[in-house]
């Protein structure tokens, strides 16, 4: 018997047992859909992370006072500091020691460091037109800041060297904290008047809720700040492939500068985007693996359903098997018929499961996007990406599951003796 005839008979078996076939297919659909949804969301988040490496200034390192063993874990990198901002560090194991102009000078001597900038920040009472609010003010070096931030301008310009009474406003401050903010207008910060030089695009980052000004001016409006004493230091690298070596050199030089001999006595921490990326990637992989294992249980249930359906079909078609064998069908022909039967069920389940999984992952993205979305920095955990490779692998998986599940029933059907099969009632 030719294969296409075996396939035709297998298809007829499915079409004449529609209800049982569809119930069996649904089991595969659920398992495949769950796997596609989980993996596509995980891959989408990974792609989002990789794509944002270019826009988040991967060549930026941030040095904060205070040493934490979990330094950088779960941080939200912004190209100008980690989420929470300089001066808002979490619990540390040692008493923080202020970073100074001396540290900036020392860091400039490291070969792979291109630019260095000290930063101060603090919450200051701010008034625009008739509305007042406490706003996070960040003092930066105008000559360096533009090269260390990844946020684009909505209007106006960045700070430039020589600016004294000029500020750049974050998108959320301009749109939510105040309203109708325009460039070249006046804004009062800490009782002093400044000119709005530029407004940043709202990006979902920490820059949105800040106002940036020259560090010399920030010292005069933020309480308890001194000249040449910083809340954090931002470093721009020349070559990001040398990040690990650069971090080691920074650590070594600052420990020497601060007269620290033991690493566990450090009074500062060096945070890099690469370290954050590794932690996020590791977390995504672990969560994806765990959820995929759960989804695999659904697929296993579907496989058992196929096996049960095949055993039932074998019993129902016992006399038909006897007739086929009496007409000259061989064991391999009967085996092919039932394997085709199981393979088609697996393939149809894979196709429908993939479609349902793509729709499901898209719905998850829509339901968790916007203000209620799950974000880590600019990385959206609700994003989804279904790669062609994933689709091919899922189709193969569904067919393999179908074939494996139908192998035993198909083998038993092929071994039936014609006389016994024809005598079966």
């Amino acid at each position: 018997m030719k294969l296409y005839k075996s396939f035709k008979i297998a298809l007829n078996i499915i079409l004449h047992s529609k209800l049982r076939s569809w119930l069996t297919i649904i089991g595969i659909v659920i398992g495949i859909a769950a796997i596609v949804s989980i993996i596509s969301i995980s891959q989408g988040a990974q792609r989002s992370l990789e794509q944002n490496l270019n826009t988040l200034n991967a060549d930026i390192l941030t040095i904060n006072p205070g040493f934490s063993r979990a330094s950088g874990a779960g941080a939200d990198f912004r190209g100008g500091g980690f989420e929470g901002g300089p001066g808002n560090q979490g619990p540390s194991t040692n008493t923080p020691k202020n970073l100074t102009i001396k540290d900036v000078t020392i860091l400039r001597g490291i070969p792979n460091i291109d630019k260095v900038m000290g930063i101060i920040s603090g919450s200051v009472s701010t008034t625009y037109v008739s509305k007042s609010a406490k706003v996070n003010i960040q003092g930066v070096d105008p000559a360096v800041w533009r090269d260390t931030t990844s946020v684009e301008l909505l209007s106006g310009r960045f700070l430039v060297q020589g600016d004294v009474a000029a500020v750049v406003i974050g998108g959320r401050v301009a749109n939510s904290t105040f309203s109708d903010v325009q460039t070249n207008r006046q804004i009062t910060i800490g009782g002093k008047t400044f000119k709005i030089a530029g407004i940043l695009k709202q990006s979902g980052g920490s820059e949105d809720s800040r106002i940036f000004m020259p560090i010399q001016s920030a010292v005069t409006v933020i309480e308890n700040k001194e000249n040449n004493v910083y809340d954090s230091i931002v470093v721009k690298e020349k070559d990001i492939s040398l990040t690990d070596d650069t971090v080691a050199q920074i650590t070594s030089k600052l420990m020497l500068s601060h007269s620290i001999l033991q690493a566990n006595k450090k009074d500062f921490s060096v945070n890099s985007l690469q370290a954050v990326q590794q932690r996020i990637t590791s977390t995504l992989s672990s969560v994806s693996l765990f959820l995929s294992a759960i989804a695999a249980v659904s697929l296993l249930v579907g496989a058992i359903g196929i096996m049960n359906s095949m055993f039932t079909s074998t019993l129902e078609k016992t006399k038909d098997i006897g007739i086929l064998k009496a007409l000259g069908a061989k064991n391999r022909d009967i085996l092919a018929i039932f394997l085709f039967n199981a393979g088609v069920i697996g393939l149809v389940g894979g196709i429908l499961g993939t479609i349902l999984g793509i729709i499901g992952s898209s719905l998850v993205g829509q339901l968790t996007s916007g203000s209620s979305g799950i974000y880590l920095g600019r990385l959206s955990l609700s994003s989804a990406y279904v790669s062609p490779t994933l689709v091919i692998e899922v189709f193969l998986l569904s067919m393999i599951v179908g074939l494996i599940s139908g192998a035993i029933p198909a083998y038993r059907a092929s071994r039936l003796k014609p006389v016994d099969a024809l005598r079966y009632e």
Side-chain angles (χ1 to χ4, degrees):
M1 184 184 297
K2 295 182 179 180
L3 286 178
Y4 81 89
K5 289 186 177 180
S6 297
F7 178 79
K8 187 176 180 180
I9 294 172
L11 199 58
N12 285 331
I13 293 174
I14 294 174
L15 294 176
H16 284 86
S17 305
K18 293 180 181 178
L19 180 59
R20 184 174 67 242
S21 297
W22 277 112
L23 289 175
T24 305
I25 289 171
I26 287 173
I28 297 295
V29 168
I30 293 173
I32 293 295
I35 290 175
V36 169
S37 297
I38 291 168
I39 294 178
S40 62
I41 290 175
S42 176
Q43 288 183 345
Q46 181 65 30
R47 279 170 58 88
S48 175
L49 174 63
E50 292 173 354
Q51 290 170 358
N52 279 308
L53 283 177
N54 295 326
T55 61
L56 292 180
N57 288 3
D59 54 355
I60 301 297
L61 304 176
T62 303
I63 300 141
N64 292 316
F67 172 62
S68 172
R69 299 184 190 281
S71 173
D76 175 14
F77 198 83
R78 288 289 181 258
F82 287 85
E83 182 69 278
N88 291 315
Q89 293 75 31
S92 58
T93 56
N94 294 316
T95 302
K97 179 179 179 180
N98 287 326
L99 301 170
T100 66
I101 189 65
K102 177 183 176 183
D103 299 316
V104 171
T105 304
I106 290 172
L107 294 177
R108 287 191 178 121
I110 297 176
N112 192 43
I113 288 182
D114 183 28
K115 297 181 184 296
V116 184
M117 175 180 69
I119 293 175
I120 64 171
S121 63
S123 184
V124 180
S125 179
T126 304
T127 302
Y128 179 76
V129 187
S130 59
K131 188 173 181 180
S132 297
K134 281 274 190 178
V135 180
N136 186 283
I137 306 299
Q138 190 165 89
V140 297
D141 182 351
V144 178
W145 176 55
R146 183 174 181 175
D147 296 321
T148 59
T149 184
S150 58
V151 183
E152 298 178 359
L153 279 170
L154 178 65
S155 61
R157 62 173 177 82
F158 282 101
L159 298 174
V160 296
Q161 199 164 11
D163 277 337
V164 176
V167 298
V168 173
I169 297 181
R172 189 178 296 116
V173 176
N175 298 327
S176 302
T177 307
F178 303 112
S179 58
D180 194 30
V181 175
Q182 301 176 14
T183 56
N184 299 318
R185 298 283 295 272
Q186 303 295 318
I187 186 169
T188 303
I189 302 173
K192 297 188 177 184
T193 302
F194 295 85
K195 179 182 177 181
I196 300 174
I199 299 173
L200 299 175
K201 288 183 179 179
Q202 194 159 342
S203 62
S206 58
E207 295 98 332
D208 290 345
S209 56
R210 292 174 178 169
I211 294 178
F212 299 88
M213 65 171 60
I215 194 167
Q216 296 88 348
S217 302
V219 170
T220 65
V221 298
I222 303 175
E223 294 182 357
N224 303 319
K225 300 299 179 183
E226 304 175 25
N227 285 316
N228 299 326
V229 177
Y230 310 118
D231 294 319
S232 68
I233 296 174
V234 170
V235 170
K236 182 179 177 67
E237 297 181 276
K238 295 178 182 177
D239 185 354
I240 61 174
S241 66
L242 302 176
T243 295
D244 291 341
D245 183 57
T246 303
V247 170
Q249 290 185 55
I250 290 173
T251 302
S252 176
K253 287 185 176 293
L254 290 185
M255 285 178 63
L256 184 62
S257 173
H258 293 185
S259 301
I260 298 171
L261 299 178
Q262 298 178 353
N264 60 357
K265 298 294 184 181
K266 285 191 301 183
D267 58 0
F268 63 90
S269 57
V270 183
N271 302 297
S272 70
L273 179 60
Q274 288 185 345
V276 176
Q277 181 201 9
Q278 290 172 358
R279 291 185 178 96
I280 294 174
T281 301
S282 176
T283 301
L284 286 176
S285 298
S286 299
V287 172
S288 178
L289 181 62
F290 175 72
L291 294 178
S292 296
I294 295 176
V297 174
S298 300
L299 193 59
L300 178 61
V301 172
I304 295 173
I306 291 179
M307 188 176 294
N308 180 63
S309 176
M310 293 294 297
F311 274 120
T312 304
S313 294
T314 301
L315 292 174
E316 289 180 349
K317 303 297 180 182
T318 299
K319 185 170 287 189
D320 294 329
I321 293 171
I323 293 172
L324 286 172
K325 283 201 168 188
L327 293 174
K330 297 180 180 179
N331 288 349
R332 64 172 179 269
D333 298 324
I334 304 301
L335 181 66
I337 289 172
F338 285 94
L339 284 179
F340 274 132
N341 190 344
V344 169
I345 290 175
L347 179 60
V348 173
I351 293 172
L352 297 179
T354 300
I355 295 172
L356 183 61
I358 294 172
I359 295 173
S361 60
S362 299
L363 289 176
V364 169
Q366 293 176 6
L367 292 173
T368 60
S369 62
S371 58
S372 63
I374 304 173
Y375 289 91
L376 188 53
R378 290 174 188 160
L379 168 65
S380 170
L381 297 185
S382 63
S383 57
Y385 171 71
V386 181
S387 65
T389 303
L390 175 61
V391 174
I392 294 172
E393 289 176 348
V394 165
F395 284 165
L396 290 175
L397 175 63
S398 60
M399 288 189 64
I400 290 171
V401 167
L403 291 173
I404 292 176
S405 301
I408 296 176
Y411 178 77
R412 289 187 60 181
S414 69
R415 304 301 294 179
L416 286 173
K417 294 179 180 180
V419 175
D420 294 336
L422 289 169
R423 191 181 300 162
Y424 180 81
E425 293 294 338

